[in-house]
Amino acid sequence: MRSPPDQPQRILELLDAVYPSFALLAGMELGLFSLIGDASLNLEELAARLDVREDHLGALVYTLVVAGLLVESGGAFCNSAEAQKFLVRGSPDYLGDQHGLLSNNWKRILDTAAMIRSGNPLAKYDYQSGHAELESILSGLHPGSVRDARLLLDRYDFSDRRSLLDIGGGTGGLATTLAEAYPDLQATVLDLPSVIPITRKYIESSGMQDRVRIATADAVRQRLDGNFDLVLARHLFQVLSSDENRALLQNLADAVQPGSWIFVLGWVLDDTRVRPENIVGYNLILMNAYEHGQAYTETEYRTWLEDAGFEEFERHPLPDGSSILRATRSG
């Protein structure tokens, strides 16, 4: 039998792991990385431009240096290469607007023990909530939608597709990006009535309103109008129950042609349920945010799709732990 360790090393590592994450969130909320841009500024200059106390800002800035997001040289601070690419507003890969989504998620995860005791989420995501909160959530999801659309464009040829359904499409990032790349592709973004005003704003800002239409329906409980040959669903199945997912896929199967493709993008667990590790952890957020929220396994998805009449199932894991699932409607 092994003797117990002299120090709680792993426990201490986990306790300390939260500081860089919260420093990143604060930097995003303050717009600190965008303020620095490609410049090099000292602490006095940064505090003056943000109109904050220098000593308070210093604690944050040096934490970001330790986290590898800022670089200090001679008392001046500049962005790391990664921060410059992803956290400076105006960059095509900008992620800084995700701070609202992160803040909402991380507040919810603090309720995990209480939620398990009660058996129900204590702070469920309310998609009928006030416009400002809902827009904050969706704006945080938008960069990922555009990024995933670009991944699809890199991997697949959609030139023979004509009618796209982006179900639970939110801001329409998937639909507008694919429609822009393929001029013959007509797209429909389907979402809840409360989401549609935000969807419309994003689609109009993209200039794609003539090619991307907006619709609303309860896709779990209602038959869907249309005859699509391409369906996209991003981060949707993980907020529904297993029975709801089965019903949704059957409704989708009835609304597509034989040979149509369906793509599911989101958190997918290996059948061991311990990989990818970050998705195992993200389950804590999902179960605090949704009554049936969870990341499902590859086999669960495969079974649902096959039962609904889809075949040729394939999974492509991505570097961030998410996956692209694809299947084809059987003839």
Side-chain angles (χ1 to χ4, degrees):
M1 181 176 178
R2 290 184 179 179
S3 59
D6 294 332
Q7 297 291 330
Q9 182 175 347
R10 183 56 181 154
I11 294 171
L12 293 175
E13 289 173 352
L14 292 171
L15 292 175
D16 290 342
V18 301
Y19 303 130
S21 301
F22 286 123
L24 168 60
L25 177 61
M28 294 166 72
E29 291 173 333
L30 289 168
L32 179 63
F33 306 101
S34 297
L35 173 63
I36 294 173
D38 57 6
S40 183
L41 303 173
N42 64 37
L43 191 56
E44 182 180 1
E45 292 170 321
L46 288 171
R49 295 190 187 189
L50 289 173
D51 192 24
V52 298
R53 280 177 48 174
E54 187 175 331
D55 56 341
H56 288 170
L57 184 61
L60 173 63
V61 164
Y62 280 105
T63 304
L64 291 170
V65 170
V66 172
L69 294 173
L70 294 181
V71 178
E72 188 270 339
S73 178
F77 301 88
C78 64
N79 288 319
S80 69
E82 185 170 332
Q84 186 70 18
K85 179 175 173 63
F86 294 103
L87 297 176
V88 174
R89 186 175 295 278
S91 166
D93 300 301
Y94 180 61
L95 300 176
D97 280 341
Q98 291 188 4
H99 61 79
L101 177 66
L102 292 173
S103 181
N104 275 310
N105 282 345
W106 291 352
K107 287 175 183 175
R108 282 173 168 82
I109 206 170
L110 295 174
D111 292 327
T112 298
M115 179 281 228
I116 291 174
R117 289 192 183 101
S118 72
N120 294 292
L122 304 181
K124 289 196 294 186
Y125 269 134
D126 180 8
Y127 285 97
Q128 308 296 333
S129 62
H131 184 80
E133 181 183 2
L134 184 56
E135 185 158 11
S136 175
I137 294 169
L138 293 175
S139 67
L141 293 171
H142 181 73
S145 296
V146 174
R147 178 204 65 207
D148 285 354
R150 291 172 180 162
L151 287 172
L152 290 175
L153 290 171
D154 288 341
R155 288 173 175 264
Y156 299 98
D157 179 7
F158 298 104
S159 58
D160 64 343
R161 304 290 131 172
R162 295 293 179 264
S163 183
L164 160 66
L165 175 63
D166 181 3
I167 185 164
T171 61
L174 285 173
T176 54
T177 305
L178 264 68
E180 186 175 17
Y182 287 93
D184 293 330
L185 185 63
Q186 297 294 319
T188 299
V189 178
L190 184 73
D191 217 313
L192 299 171
S194 57
V195 175
I196 293 306
I198 302 170
T199 308
R200 183 172 291 109
K201 184 176 103 171
Y202 273 86
I203 291 175
E204 289 176 352
S205 70
S206 74
M208 297 294 292
Q209 58 267 35
D210 293 338
R211 302 253 322 282
V212 181
R213 76 179 191 97
I214 301 170
T216 182
D218 184 344
V220 173
R221 295 166 184 84
Q222 298 175 348
R223 290 180 62 88
L224 301 175
D225 295 329
N227 191 22
F228 305 97
D229 59 12
L230 177 59
V231 175
L232 306 178
R234 181 178 186 270
H235 292 316
L236 176 60
F237 289 84
Q238 64 206 30
V239 307
L240 302 174
S241 70
S242 179
D243 288 342
E244 288 172 328
N245 286 329
R246 288 182 178 275
L248 172 60
L249 281 169
Q250 189 58 63
N251 285 337
L252 290 173
D254 293 340
V256 300
Q257 311 164 16
S260 298
W261 291 343
I262 182 171
F263 287 87
V264 177
L265 302 99
W267 310 133
V268 180
L269 290 172
D270 295 348
D271 291 337
T272 63
R273 295 189 180 273
V274 296
R275 297 283 189 281
E277 292 183 7
N278 63 321
I279 307 308
V280 176
Y282 199 86
N283 257 338
L284 298 180
I285 292 175
L286 289 172
M287 72 182 191
N288 275 287
Y290 304 98
E291 186 172 357
H292 300 290
Q294 61 175 298
Y296 293 99
T297 67
E298 178 179 332
T299 292
E300 287 173 309
Y301 277 106
R302 183 191 296 270
T303 301
W304 298 335
L305 285 161
E306 290 177 350
D307 288 349
F310 292 91
E311 57 187 9
E312 299 176 10
F313 177 93
E314 59 186 44
R315 175 189 177 192
H316 299 286
L318 300 175
D320 67 352
S322 64
S323 289
I324 297 173
L325 305 181
R326 186 181 79 154
T328 304
R329 181 68 166 104
S330 56

